[in-house]
Amino acid sequence: VNLEGQPALGLEGDTDLKFLLGGGELLKLRSSSWMKARFYKLQEDCRTMWHESKTFSIEDISAVRAGRQSEGLRKYTDELLEGRCFSIIFKGRRKDLDLIASSDEEAKQWVTSLEKIMSNLNNLNCQQKTQHWIFNCLRKADKNCDSQLSLEELKDFLHQINIELDDLYAEDLFRQCDKSKSGYLSEEEIKTFYNLLTRRQEIDEIYAEYAKTTGFMSAENLLDFLIKEQKEEATLADANRLIDQYERDDKAKEKQLMTKDGFLMYLQMFEGLVLNPTHKAVHQDMNQPLNHYFISSSHNTYLMEDQLTGPSSTKAYIRALVKGCRCVELDCWDGSDEEPVIYHGHTLTSKILFRDAIKTIKDYAFKTSDYPVILSLENHCSVEQQKVMAKHMSSILGSALITTPLEDQMPTEFPSPEALKGRFLVKCKRLNKLEVYFTREAAAVNDDTLTEEEDEEEDEDIDLKGVLVFDLQKCKKLKIAKELSDMVIYCKSVPFNGFQDAKDNLAFYEMASVKEGKAIQLAEESANCYIRHNVDKLSRIYPAGLRTDSSNFNPVPLWNAGCQIVALNVQTPCPNMDLNQGRFLVNGKTGYILKPAYMRDQMSEFDPITLTRGPWLQHKTLHIMIISAQQLPKVNQKKTSVVDALVKVEIHGVPADTAEKETVHIVDNGFNPMWNENFQFDVHVPALALVRFVVEDYNYAFDNELIGQFTLPFTSLQLGKLVASLCHLPVYSLK
């Protein structure tokens, strides 16, 4: 509570922290003709970087990459500068920083120091983050920097932290803390004020109910709480472990007692989260055929923004892969100098080299997940440049690229994600059947011409007004290079001509891409047929061409129909993207979620629309009490008013389960609003249901403003764990 010095981050006296606080000059690079010296410095709050009269938060940084890893640095700098270069990669759509230090040693110092401060901030627990935030708000309120707070400074501080009090109440609060009657709050008085401010009445009530041992919680008391409130099958040993882990008072810990502070610490850590911690790791069977899983997928992965004029970038592949996407798209066109390029054809989106995209995919494919990545190629290249594509994939991906079947005899189903760990699969057209690998007729195919109706996505082109206008290659001979064709093993692209045609004429490895409108119609009118189709085939669904703003459709109806590869525009944060992230939040973020058994059965009678009786009907009643939230940020910093907070709870699944309920809004309190409202939901097909928690700032005249959300599978809920979940809502970046 001392307003002098830096906030406690556990780095006091650290040389890396001192280096950042001292700052230094770096060359900022934008192009071959734009390279300027800029001074960068960590501010005293230890979480904000200052440069050229601008700032950015350390928490907005996604990664710091040493060397010439970015497109700009590779393109505009000499290889001799490799050791002096580094990039700061931001979350969201903020432009990254390409920087050049004066020496290799200085560049290493910047990278090491930034990574240390990022790691430290990320590892703060909820209570430490609260203290750190309040400390910084107190410092900002101390306008004259005298380490004291006047009444006016106190009012300014309360407004900063999202509390609107009338003047009389603020003055009364000030008088309670001003023990010295000096008209200012100093160190101990600020501490008193802090304790009054951060008192959690709802936690006090819960703690008081179970603290039956001289005013503290014994291990037996805590065990009683774990069983009755948290619905855990806990033991006395579990209670003792929690006390050892979270109690900060050594004297209480010696007596195996938990204080109120220790109890609050426990509630704010992962044991208190709504997400079942055992589901954060790989917990599903990964040895089923590949098509028995929902697969996290991206549409037009190379795009950073819209579909018409936005930039293409290898960074977009990094973001998708780091998020866990296992199917990425590459729209390939002839480029200059015999080098294929990737961009959204017939638009003003920028271009990147196919070679650079493949290099980036190789480097980041398995950072988040070890499980296979599907390279979905939309091929518009000439035969000669297709050969170049094949050459690049072969040389860059090497033995990780699947170029022959894994089996010794003709397979009848897909390999499993486990068998394909660390491997790449190519999805594209193929000149012949996979069976040629296992027959004497497997002689070289000389004809590089394929005549067939194209995949719908390859037919669809958009003019610059965003209107669907024409089919480019319908009923036209498509020429495919044998070198590229031979790389297509388990994902051969074919047109979709109906479920019966697919059943009669298509092999398991032949898959269709279907536009969202047609796919949703099939899911609504022939859901059971779609489910049976997807038992032994792969289906890929992609957004309609009119979504030029890179908006997203609702993936849930397609998952309900068993579709595995539901490709979304991952660059666009929105409720439908939240559902996608929630679906793939669990199972170690592998990007693969095992479908329920009744969606893996060729004779399944499951229909999400009609919901006839069957093993999918496992009726559950979900009771939720929304108690409170803490330290909600003011998303719109230009607004003079503080947050009027409300909470929504949504269920997304089969139509019978889809529901939404919301609390009242709490006027002028984003700091510690309390609702104590109870909701009840009936869920009939829990295996397909998602639960989405949303916190909004109420607006009577316009749409509410989103503060944060958290989505997870219904089956991954921890019973009794909602008491602290709203402390941990990830907040959208609206930059």
Side-chain angles (χ1 to χ4, degrees):
V1 295
N2 187 340
L3 299 188
E4 297 177 350
Q6 284 79 46
L9 288 176
L11 292 176
E12 292 72 21
D14 183 84
T15 55
D16 292 320
L17 178 61
K18 287 181 178 178
F19 172 79
L20 292 176
L21 289 168
E25 192 170 83
L26 296 165
L27 286 177
K28 179 180 176 181
L29 174 74
R30 284 185 180 169
S31 68
S32 57
S33 59
W34 199 103
M35 187 186 299
K36 297 184 180 181
R38 293 286 186 260
F39 192 85
Y40 292 81
K41 180 180 184 295
L42 182 68
Q43 294 193 314
E44 293 296 311
D45 64 3
C46 293
R47 67 191 304 167
T48 308
M49 288 294 295
W50 178 93
H51 68 111
E52 51 188 292
S53 302
K54 300 176 183 177
T55 62
F56 61 83
S57 172
I58 294 291
E59 291 168 304
D60 287 339
I61 300 176
S62 172
V64 182
R65 298 193 187 119
R68 299 165 60 249
Q69 293 196 50
S70 72
E71 294 171 50
L73 287 171
R74 284 199 300 265
K75 188 174 182 179
Y76 302 124
T77 64
D78 192 275
E79 291 182 6
L80 295 174
L81 294 177
E82 179 72 32
R84 291 171 52 189
C85 297
F86 68 97
S87 300
I88 296 177
I89 312 301
F90 292 102
K91 302 170 185 174
R93 294 185 176 181
R94 182 178 186 137
K95 289 184 178 179
D96 300 337
L97 286 173
D98 288 335
L99 302 167
I100 305 172
S102 60
S103 67
D104 291 9
E105 292 71 24
E106 186 186 8
K108 288 178 183 177
Q109 180 73 71
W110 276 104
V111 172
T112 301
S113 301
L114 286 169
E115 287 180 339
K116 180 180 284 187
I117 198 80
M118 288 167 58
S119 174
N120 192 276
L121 283 171
N122 289 335
N123 289 329
L124 293 179
N125 61 45
C126 192
Q127 186 174 3
Q128 289 170 324
K129 288 179 180 177
T130 298
Q131 292 170 345
H132 194 237
W133 175 63
I134 289 178
F135 174 89
N136 288 321
C137 290
L138 284 167
R139 286 185 56 147
K140 289 179 184 176
D142 184 18
K143 302 294 186 186
N144 58 1
C145 300
D146 63 354
S147 296
Q148 296 179 325
L149 290 181
S150 66
L151 176 59
E152 289 306 311
E153 288 173 335
L154 178 75
K155 290 179 181 178
D156 181 62
F157 165 73
L158 291 171
H159 194 79
Q160 280 189 57
I161 63 170
N162 252 331
I163 299 180
E164 194 70 49
L165 301 178
D166 65 43
D167 287 348
L168 289 176
Y169 187 83
E171 289 168 11
D172 181 59
L173 187 64
F174 186 86
R175 280 195 299 271
Q176 287 182 52
C177 300
D178 184 15
K179 305 294 184 184
S180 64
K181 310 297 182 185
S182 64
Y184 293 90
L185 302 186
S186 56
E187 288 186 23
E188 285 303 314
E189 292 164 336
I190 293 174
K191 182 177 180 180
T192 302
F193 170 68
Y194 172 83
N195 289 335
L196 280 173
L197 191 67
T198 56
R199 180 170 177 254
R200 299 277 302 278
Q201 179 184 342
E202 71 278 25
I203 303 301
D204 291 351
E205 292 173 0
I206 295 170
Y207 183 80
E209 183 178 345
Y210 288 92
K212 299 176 181 177
T213 306
T214 62
F216 298 99
M217 266 191 185
S218 66
E220 290 78 9
N221 299 152
L222 180 57
L223 177 62
D224 195 27
F225 169 80
L226 295 174
I227 294 173
K228 289 182 179 178
E229 302 292 346
Q230 305 294 71
K231 313 297 182 187
E232 292 186 21
E233 296 179 0
T235 65
L236 193 60
D238 294 323
N240 282 314
R241 176 183 59 80
L242 293 175
I243 291 173
D244 289 339
Q245 190 168 356
Y246 297 117
E247 182 53 57
R248 293 295 178 261
D249 187 314
D250 291 336
K251 291 183 179 179
K253 188 184 291 188
E254 286 176 7
K255 299 176 182 179
Q256 286 299 293
L257 298 174
M258 180 174 272
T259 64
K260 187 161 54 181
D261 285 342
F263 182 63
L264 181 58
M265 180 76 75
Y266 150 69
L267 290 177
Q268 293 177 333
M269 300 304 285
F270 74 92
E271 282 96 349
L273 293 183
V274 65
L275 175 63
N276 186 335
T278 63
H279 287 199
K280 294 175 74 174
V282 178
H283 66 281
Q284 296 181 340
D285 179 6
M286 302 302 286
N287 289 293
Q288 297 293 316
L290 190 77
N291 64 312
H292 285 187
Y293 298 81
F294 297 122
I295 302 173
S296 180
S297 307
S298 166
H299 169 253
N300 287 358
T301 312
Y302 49 89
L303 291 176
M304 297 288 289
E305 297 174 7
D306 64 81
Q307 306 282 314
L308 293 179
T309 61
S312 303
S313 174
T314 56
K315 178 183 174 181
Y317 286 99
I318 295 172
R319 289 183 177 176
L321 292 166
V322 169
K323 283 184 177 181
C325 281
R326 298 292 86 189
C327 180
V328 295
E329 186 174 11
L330 302 92
D331 289 4
C332 308
W333 299 79
D334 283 353
S336 58
D337 302 322
E338 296 303 315
E339 282 292 343
V341 295
I342 294 174
Y343 86 113
H344 198 197
H346 309 293
T347 70
L348 297 179
T349 57
S350 62
K351 301 174 182 179
I352 58 175
L353 292 176
F354 178 83
R355 176 185 61 204
D356 289 345
I358 295 298
K359 284 181 179 177
T360 300
I361 291 169
K362 177 182 183 281
D363 290 341
Y364 289 89
F366 306 112
K367 296 283 188 183
T368 298
S369 169
D370 293 331
Y371 289 91
V373 171
I374 299 170
L375 306 178
S376 181
L377 304 184
E378 187 176 315
N379 177 20
H380 301 274
C381 290
S382 63
V383 170
E384 288 307 311
Q385 293 213 14
Q386 289 179 44
K387 293 178 180 178
V388 176
M389 290 166 56
K391 178 183 175 183
H392 286 326
M393 287 193 288
S394 179
S395 63
I396 294 169
L397 302 179
S399 60
L401 181 65
I402 295 287
T403 55
T404 59
L406 299 185
E407 301 82 356
D408 294 330
Q409 56 186 7
M410 180 59 201
T412 57
E413 63 181 18
F414 288 94
S416 69
E418 191 67 32
L420 292 167
K421 251 184 175 180
R423 308 296 295 274
F424 295 94
L425 306 174
V426 174
K427 173 191 168 291
C428 193
K429 291 286 191 294
R430 182 183 167 88
L431 290 168
N432 50 23
K433 292 276 190 178
L434 189 63
E435 284 80 352
V436 299
Y437 283 96
F438 304 96
T439 64
R440 292 185 178 181
E441 290 75 26
V445 178
N446 296 316
D447 186 8
D448 62 0
T449 302
L450 177 69
T451 304
E452 65 175 33
E453 185 179 297
E454 297 297 301
D455 278 0
E456 288 194 29
E457 183 163 15
E458 295 185 5
D459 297 337
E460 184 174 290
D461 283 83
I462 304 167
D463 70 9
L464 296 185
K465 294 179 182 177
V467 180
L468 186 64
V469 287
F470 52 82
D471 292 342
L472 274 186
Q473 301 182 21
K474 185 80 79 176
C475 300
K476 177 182 176 182
K477 287 187 176 181
L478 172 69
K479 292 189 175 182
I480 299 178
K482 182 178 182 300
E483 292 86 343
L484 181 61
S485 170
D486 287 349
M487 290 180 168
V488 180
I489 304 300
Y490 294 111
C491 299
K492 178 185 176 182
S493 297
V494 297
F496 180 75
N497 295 316
F499 296 125
Q500 192 60 46
D501 175 78
K503 182 178 180 181
D504 295 342
N505 300 312
L506 298 184
F508 75 90
Y509 57 84
E510 294 178 305
M511 61 175 291
S513 290
V514 181
K515 187 165 45 178
E516 65 168 277
K518 183 174 181 179
I520 290 172
Q521 181 183 6
L522 290 171
E524 290 175 347
E525 298 176 0
S526 309
N528 182 255
C529 292
Y530 220 160
I531 288 167
R532 292 187 178 192
H533 170 83
N534 289 318
V535 170
D536 61 2
K537 305 284 194 306
L538 274 172
S539 290
R540 177 177 176 271
I541 316 301
Y542 61 93
L546 293 179
R547 292 187 182 273
T548 56
D549 58 351
S550 294
S551 59
N552 284 308
F553 60 92
N554 182 359
V556 172
L558 286 313
W559 289 329
N560 291 345
C563 297
Q564 302 89 344
I565 303 177
V566 182
L568 299 183
N569 293 305
V570 299
Q571 73 270 35
T572 306
C574 62
N576 290 329
M577 194 63 217
D578 296 338
L579 298 176
N580 189 75
Q581 292 295 99
R583 169 67 70 204
F584 296 101
L585 175 69
V586 296
N587 202 33
K589 293 187 177 180
T590 58
Y592 287 86
I593 299 296
L594 185 64
K595 295 196 286 186
Y598 50 81
M599 301 185 88
R600 296 181 271 131
D601 179 3
Q602 190 60 255
M603 303 305 293
S604 176
E605 296 294 330
F606 174 61
D607 188 314
I609 308 298
T610 60
L611 276 191
T612 55
R613 290 186 177 277
W616 43 86
L617 285 179
Q618 299 178 11
H619 181 258
K620 305 286 184 185
T621 302
L622 176 62
H623 299 272
I624 294 179
M625 182 179 187
I626 302 297
I627 301 174
S628 65
Q630 289 77 45
Q631 297 96 49
L632 299 177
K634 191 187 326 184
V635 178
N636 187 348
Q637 295 296 331
K638 295 180 180 179
K639 270 181 60 175
T640 56
S641 63
V642 299
V643 168
D644 299 336
L646 64 85
V647 178
K648 292 180 179 178
V649 182
E650 304 167 356
I651 306 295
H652 298 266
V654 300
D657 291 343
T658 302
E660 176 184 318
K661 296 182 181 180
E662 68 178 63
T663 66
V664 298
H665 65 276
I666 306 298
V667 178
D668 288 344
N669 188 353
F671 185 75
N672 55 0
M674 290 185 64
W675 295 277
N676 289 320
E677 291 193 40
N678 290 283
F679 298 146
Q680 179 175 315
F681 298 91
D682 288 309
V683 179
H684 302 85
V685 187
L688 292 176
L690 296 165
V691 184
R692 183 171 183 254
F693 298 94
V694 187
V695 182
E696 294 180 342
D697 182 4
Y698 173 77
N699 190 316
Y700 73 92
F702 303 101
D703 290 340
N704 295 345
E705 290 185 317
L706 177 70
I707 296 175
Q709 70 83 38
F710 186 69
T711 306
L712 76 165
F714 179 91
T715 52
S716 295
L717 285 169
Q718 275 207 100
L719 296 181
K721 297 295 182 175
L722 299 187
V723 69
S725 67
L726 296 187
C727 291
H728 301 267
L729 284 169
V731 179
Y732 277 151
S733 170
L734 299 184
K735 295 174 183 174

